[in-house]
Amino acid sequence: MKKEKNIEFPDCWEEVSPEEWVMLLGLRYKLMTQRGVSLTDVKRAWCAYVLKSRGVKVRGTEGMLLVDRLADTLEWMWLVDDEAGCISLRFDTTRNLLPVWKELRGPQSHGGDLTFGEFRAATAAMNLYTEDHLPSDLLALVAVLYRFPDPATGKRAPFDPDDLPTLMRDVQRVMPDWLQWGIYAWFARFCEYLLTGEFIIDGQTVTFAPVFGRRDKDGERPSGQDLGLNSILYTVAESGVFGTAMETDRTPLLRVLLKLLDDKQRADELMKRYKH
């Protein structure tokens, strides 16, 4: 957290509040769709909003100079490719910055409460949107992840793929497209992190890279959008560890991946013994 004259100001995504994230997505939408709006305008507007939301009055020349100074610190947030004429957000956190929107409840940060089936459905929708950018595919992705709460628990209702058309209507009714894109950015980053990052589970540091360690014909790792999830589903279901394929889909994602990681480590150990 950057501090200037006792003012706390974000210097990474983890320090951005849900309200500040929503504001930023709205400004991003204006940058992408409205002529005459520059990245500098967006940075200044966001900084002014953050200061105001944190109780800092921005007035007069001194206030504008403070906004300008803080706007200059946002290199971590934006990627500018002058050669390609492209501006994009450097979104690189698995923390869910929008856990709640209106009546809808979103997933926990770091995939903590995603089921395997929910993750498979969300990944399929993400793949389609990445390829064709159809609003309906983006809507499907968000509808898989954001649902009304279960009256009994107050948490997200369990995901049922048969309910997807209804879930899509629910999301479309209360969430604008420009905000849905932020959920796509989060989920795409989470998929990428599964291949490269470390998770803390029960006090242990775990990396799932070995689970997705296969290579394509050119020797490259699969991308975040190509995780081979259908193959994983049937492999795990055949083992019967979590029950049928339907029951496996209802199992927490990280639990399934931990089982696969354990199997991979055991197989590697047997191979080492065999070679010796």
Side-chain angles (χ1 to χ4, degrees):
M1 183 76 71
K2 179 181 177 60
K3 292 188 177 182
E4 182 170 336
K5 295 182 180 179
N6 298 319
I7 297 170
E8 292 191 346
F9 192 83
D11 60 9
C12 65
W13 289 111
E14 285 74 12
E15 295 167 355
V16 174
S17 72
E19 295 77 15
E20 292 162 357
W21 175 228
V22 170
M23 180 63 175
L24 181 62
L25 290 172
L27 290 169
R28 173 194 172 273
Y29 178 72
K30 290 183 179 180
L31 176 65
M32 300 301 174
T33 60
Q34 296 184 12
R35 297 181 63 181
V37 177
S38 70
L39 180 57
T40 299
D41 295 332
V42 167
K43 288 181 177 180
R44 288 172 175 166
W46 190 74
C47 289
Y49 175 84
V50 171
L51 290 173
K52 183 178 179 181
S53 69
R54 298 185 182 216
V56 180
K57 295 180 180 179
V58 181
R59 295 177 177 174
T61 302
E62 184 177 349
M64 295 309 299
L65 289 174
L66 174 60
V67 167
D68 285 344
R69 285 198 301 271
L70 293 174
D72 288 339
T73 71
L74 297 181
E75 291 85 359
W76 60 271
M77 179 179 284
W78 293 96
L79 176 64
V80 180
D81 188 337
D82 293 325
E83 194 170 304
C86 179
I87 300 173
S88 58
L89 286 175
R90 299 177 184 263
F91 193 80
D92 62 356
T93 182
T94 58
R95 179 190 168 206
N96 184 4
L97 300 182
L98 192 69
V100 176
W101 176 257
K102 305 290 186 181
E103 308 97 324
L104 300 174
R105 301 294 183 270
Q108 294 177 5
S109 295
H110 324 304
D113 64 344
L114 291 178
T115 65
F116 188 67
E118 183 181 8
F119 182 70
R120 288 199 312 118
T123 302
M126 179 189 68
N127 289 344
L128 290 173
Y129 181 71
T130 299
E131 182 176 338
D132 56 33
H133 294 288
L134 290 177
S136 58
D137 293 327
L138 177 60
L139 183 62
L141 166 63
V142 178
V144 171
L145 297 174
Y146 281 72
R147 300 185 293 280
F148 288 120
D150 186 328
T153 65
K155 300 179 181 179
R156 287 188 310 155
F159 174 65
D160 184 342
D162 293 336
D163 291 340
L164 188 56
T166 299
L167 296 173
M168 290 174 68
R169 287 194 293 271
D170 291 341
V171 171
Q172 190 172 38
R173 180 170 57 85
V174 299
M175 187 180 292
D177 293 353
W178 54 265
L179 191 57
Q180 294 173 33
W181 183 90
I183 296 164
Y184 166 78
W186 171 81
F187 189 72
R189 172 55 182 163
F190 176 71
C191 289
E192 180 185 8
Y193 194 79
L194 276 178
L195 295 173
T196 60
E198 295 180 340
F199 292 78
I200 306 298
I201 301 177
D202 295 331
Q204 301 293 318
T205 301
V206 177
T207 176
F208 294 114
V211 174
F212 305 109
R214 59 188 173 82
R215 301 292 199 274
D216 62 21
K217 63 181 180 180
D218 297 319
E220 298 294 329
R221 282 187 181 275
S223 69
Q225 290 75 36
D226 181 20
L227 300 176
L229 297 177
N230 287 331
S231 175
I232 289 175
L233 171 66
Y234 296 122
T235 298
V236 174
E238 285 177 3
S239 73
V241 173
F242 302 117
T244 64
M246 183 177 295
E247 290 168 330
T248 300
D249 263 346
R250 294 171 181 166
T251 303
L253 168 67
L254 297 183
R255 187 179 171 197
V256 173
L257 295 183
L258 282 172
K259 168 60 179 171
L260 290 171
L261 181 61
D262 182 65
D263 289 346
K264 177 69 166 59
Q265 291 171 341
R266 290 173 184 268
D268 289 348
E269 184 61 31
L270 286 174
M271 288 296 294
K272 288 180 182 178
R273 293 179 183 178
Y274 178 78
K275 289 181 179 179
H276 286 84

